[in-house]
Amino acid sequence: MSDLVVEHLEVRYGDLVGVADISLKVRAGQVVALLGSNGAGKTTTLNAIAGVVRPRGKVEWRGEQIAGQPAYAIVSKGLALSPEGWRLFVAQTVEQNLRLGATALADRARAAALFERVYALFPRLAERRRQLAGTLSGGERQMLALGRALMSEPQLLMLDEPSLGLAPAVVEALYDTLAELHRQGLTLLLAEQSILLALGIADYAYVLQTGRIALEGPAADLQKNEQVREIYLGIATRAAAP
Amino acid sequence: MVAVQVIVGGLLLGAIYALFSSGLTLIWGMMNFINFAHGEFVMLGMYVALLVVVYIGGGPAIFGIAAAVALAVLGIAIYFSLIRHVIRGPMLAQILSTFGLALLLRYTAFWIFSANFVSLPANALSGTVSLAGVYLPVAQLVAGIVAIVLTIGLHLLLTRTAVGSKLLAVAEDRTAAMLMGIRPDRMQALAWGLSAGAAGIAGALMAIAYPWSPSVGETFVLIAFVVVALGGFGSVLGSLYAGLITGLIQAVSAFWLGAIYKDIVVYGLFVALLWLRPQGLMGKA
Ligand SMILES: Nc1ncnc2c1ncn2[C@@H]1O[C@H](COP(=O)(O)OP(=O)(O)OP(=O)(O)O)[C@@H](O)[C@H]1O
Ligand SMILES: [Mg+2]
């Protein structure tokens, strides 16, 4: 059984089409990647699932239709979105940002344990707990964004381009962390332009093109498929040829 | 000694300016909404104090709290009945809504209380004290000190508590706050409650020390605009400093230039400031 089932999702921004027709599934324990170039509709899809924008179609979470519910209601059902660009509260401290992340917790007493878990995962955040989020480095901001999303103890964590604008070494560390979280049982839905990285940890992937699913399959298959690499992922496999 | 008295008197009045202006900065600087009726909230706080003293009785603690609660409730009611419907509408709708509200409150007050100046009956805070040779009315002294304490309290509420953090989160990024599980509507309503409540209690404090009529709101809202601009939009501590400075400038110019010049000097400085430092004296560039 799938935890998240999206069928014929459509989002319009006035007359403009954000996504036209998206169907996807995420099972508990999986890492699912949403791939696609600029404007393909990855952000719109995640925002619709998280309740930031109102979609048409079906968004079912553990058997309950949640499409159209406000974001604050959806996060308390166990679906957290770390939005594109992270959207940290830059005028507040690291600790305040993390505490805000715990707002949706049903059991307030869990917050202390979650603080410990996040600080263990990112010791740099623990050192900087009193520092304003706006003064963190790019890598630290990314840690805080991920930590903040984990503070609601989500059953499904959606990340929108977590590697955007980060140095390669930082991105690598991030993906190590994501892989570790996956091993611990976290379910991930990941929108990425860094295709090879995302396919590296994903079990299953969807390739979006102008608001539709152009292609889907197990990540390992997509990684091997040369035609896919060239046409949809824009990776020139024959670049090395003379 | 007279100079010291003028300066201290100005600072004490400025403390009350700081308190009601911190209410305006909460709505204007943080929620990006201009409330032209804020001065009327102060004015209503003054009349609530008067009504409580006359009809119920009780000291400053009672009518101060009564004014804060009454105006906080009014602020929340106004948020849900009016502001919520125009908050994401065009700028003109926002301006007209609170401008209309200001007129409605002002003329309702004229109608009920008449245009005459009134003041609170003599109370426990009547009389003067002498501190190191400076003579000050007890009422002014108490009102000013309480206003400073409350303004600092509001600052601490916003910066040191979980609910303050949520409120600032909504102000900074409404969508991101919703993704945390925060209901923006509740925080906005709370901001209006706090803002109007601060204005209400500032009114009650003002009423202890100064006489008034229903038209005072007009002056207060202008002063609050000056203070908020001076202190930096959205900064309660900035409002505290700016309120004290504004009270001081008013008192000093009234004393040395004459009472009719005090407002001209303040607004003149305000215009000059907007020219030179649009982000406010304390605001970040
Ligand atoms: N707020 C908006 N108003 C109007 N159109 C929008 C809005 N947000 C997105 N769109 C449009 O919807 C389409 C999908 O955009 P979306 O941001 O979902 O793509 P994306 O796959 O996340 O792209 P990127 O990789 O650049 O982040 C684009 O054509 C975009 O211009
Ligand atoms: Mg995007």
Side-chain angles (χ1 to χ4, degrees):
Chain A
M1 205 203 81
S2 296
D3 282 79
L4 178 72
V5 180
V6 173
E7 274 173 21
H8 304 302
L9 188 84
E10 184 191 344
V11 177
R12 290 173 171 282
Y13 298 106
D15 289 338
L16 296 168
V17 178
V19 295
D21 184 4
I22 300 283
S23 299
L24 60 87
K25 288 185 178 144
V26 181
R27 283 201 201 92
Q30 267 188 330
V31 175
V32 174
L34 282 183
L35 309 174
S37 51
N38 285 111
K42 306 180 294 295
T43 297
T44 304
T45 302
L46 293 186
N47 282 348
I49 296 170
V52 174
V53 295
R54 248 170 194 284
R56 275 198 258 171
K58 186 165 109 177
V59 179
E60 212 175 82
W61 170 245
R62 300 189 161 166
E64 184 195 353
Q65 161 80 356
I66 57 166
Q69 293 191 20
Y72 55 78
I74 288 174
V75 65
S76 55
K77 293 178 198 295
L79 292 85
L81 168 65
S82 183
E84 192 171 46
W86 306 323
R87 311 276 285 263
L88 296 174
F89 302 106
V90 293
Q92 300 199 46
T93 64
V94 167
E95 190 168 293
Q96 282 176 315
N97 270 272
L98 291 176
R99 193 171 300 284
L100 286 166
T103 304
L105 275 184
D107 180 8
R108 304 235 123 255
R110 291 281 303 140
L114 287 162
F115 262 113
E116 264 181 44
R117 182 177 166 215
V118 169
Y119 284 148
L121 198 59
F122 303 116
R124 288 175 78 97
L125 293 183
E127 290 163 23
R128 290 166 166 72
R129 65 179 78 192
R130 304 238 175 276
Q131 195 173 321
L132 291 184
T135 63
L136 295 177
S137 74
E140 290 160 355
R141 283 179 190 226
Q142 185 282 313
M143 291 174 196
L144 182 55
L146 187 52
R148 188 180 67 173
L150 290 172
M151 286 298 290
S152 67
E153 215 170 24
Q155 267 111 57
L156 169 64
L157 176 58
M158 298 183 272
L159 300 176
D160 195 346
E161 300 212 34
S163 68
L164 195 71
L166 294 178
V170 179
V171 175
E172 216 163 287
L174 163 68
Y175 271 82
D176 287 347
T177 309
L178 292 181
E180 175 58 28
L181 289 169
H182 178 214
R183 270 194 295 282
Q184 293 171 13
L186 186 69
T187 312
L188 277 173
L189 177 57
L190 184 66
E192 262 297 1
Q193 287 202 51
S194 311
I195 285 142
L196 289 179
L197 273 170
L199 286 179
I201 66 160
D203 301 299
Y204 199 86
Y206 295 86
V207 181
L208 274 63
Q209 217 177 25
T210 57
R212 293 174 196 277
I213 305 282
L215 188 77
E216 64 178 280
D221 292 0
L222 289 188
Q223 228 169 350
K224 273 181 241 147
N225 186 330
E226 293 219 344
Q227 199 185 357
V228 166
R229 289 166 69 101
E230 269 186 66
I231 298 176
Y232 295 111
L233 309 184
I235 301 159
T237 45
R238 275 183 289 272
Chain B
M1 272 307 120
V2 175
V4 178
Q5 206 151 326
V6 167
I7 288 168
V8 175
L11 289 173
L12 290 173
L13 181 58
I16 302 178
Y17 293 170
L19 179 56
F20 66 68
S21 303
S22 65
L24 188 71
T25 213
L26 196 63
I27 297 299
W28 190 358
M30 294 178 187
M31 301 296 172
N32 206 4
F33 194 102
I34 306 175
N35 177 18
F36 288 98
H38 197 70
E40 269 58 43
F41 288 175
V42 181
M43 178 271 291
L44 288 180
M46 302 180 99
Y47 281 105
V48 170
L50 180 67
L51 292 177
V52 169
V53 169
V54 172
Y55 291 104
I56 300 170
I62 308 255
F63 65 72
I65 291 169
V69 172
L71 268 294
V73 169
L74 180 71
I76 291 170
I78 287 172
Y79 172 74
F80 280 115
S81 61
L82 177 66
I83 308 305
R84 195 160 60 125
H85 306 287
V86 294
I87 198 160
R88 300 215 252 155
M91 191 65 172
L92 191 64
Q94 295 187 9
I95 291 173
L96 289 180
S97 67
T98 61
F99 201 75
L101 180 67
L103 293 179
L104 178 73
L105 296 176
R106 187 179 312 157
Y107 289 100
T108 306
F110 269 120
W111 179 55
I112 297 176
F113 302 108
S114 89
N116 296 332
F117 270 79
V118 290
S119 53
L120 285 189
N123 54 52
L125 300 179
S126 303
T128 53
V129 281
S130 152
L131 294 172
V134 179
Y135 287 90
L136 288 169
V138 178
Q140 253 187 49
L141 193 64
V142 171
I145 290 169
V146 171
I148 289 176
V149 170
L150 289 175
T151 309
I152 292 172
L154 185 62
H155 168 73
L156 293 178
L157 177 78
L158 289 173
T159 54
R160 300 288 160 85
T161 68
V163 69
S165 165
K166 287 182 194 175
L167 212 149
L168 295 180
V170 171
E172 198 177 324
D173 189 335
R174 192 172 187 276
T175 301
M178 280 175 83
L179 285 171
M180 303 296 105
I182 298 167
R183 303 186 60 155
D185 238 14
R186 291 191 179 172
M187 290 303 133
Q188 305 255 41
L190 176 67
W192 276 83
L194 283 173
S195 172
I201 198 161
L205 293 171
M206 191 83 87
I208 299 175
Y210 309 87
W212 75 94
S213 79
S215 62
V216 285
E218 239 173 311
T219 321
F220 291 157
V221 80
L222 279 173
I223 288 172
F225 282 2
V226 172
V227 171
V228 169
L230 200 65
F233 297 86
S235 163
V236 170
L237 271 194
S239 281
L240 178 57
Y241 303 136
L244 293 173
I245 292 172
T246 305
L248 183 66
I249 292 174
Q250 261 194 354
V252 168
S253 47
F255 184 71
W256 275 286
L257 298 176
I260 55 162
Y261 295 108
K262 69 176 203 287
D263 291 332
I264 295 172
V265 171
V266 168
Y267 302 140
L269 285 176
F270 172 57
V271 171
L273 177 88
L274 285 185
W275 234 328
L276 299 172
R277 272 184 75 83
Q279 72 273 29
L281 268 191
M282 260 65 84
K284 290 180 219 85

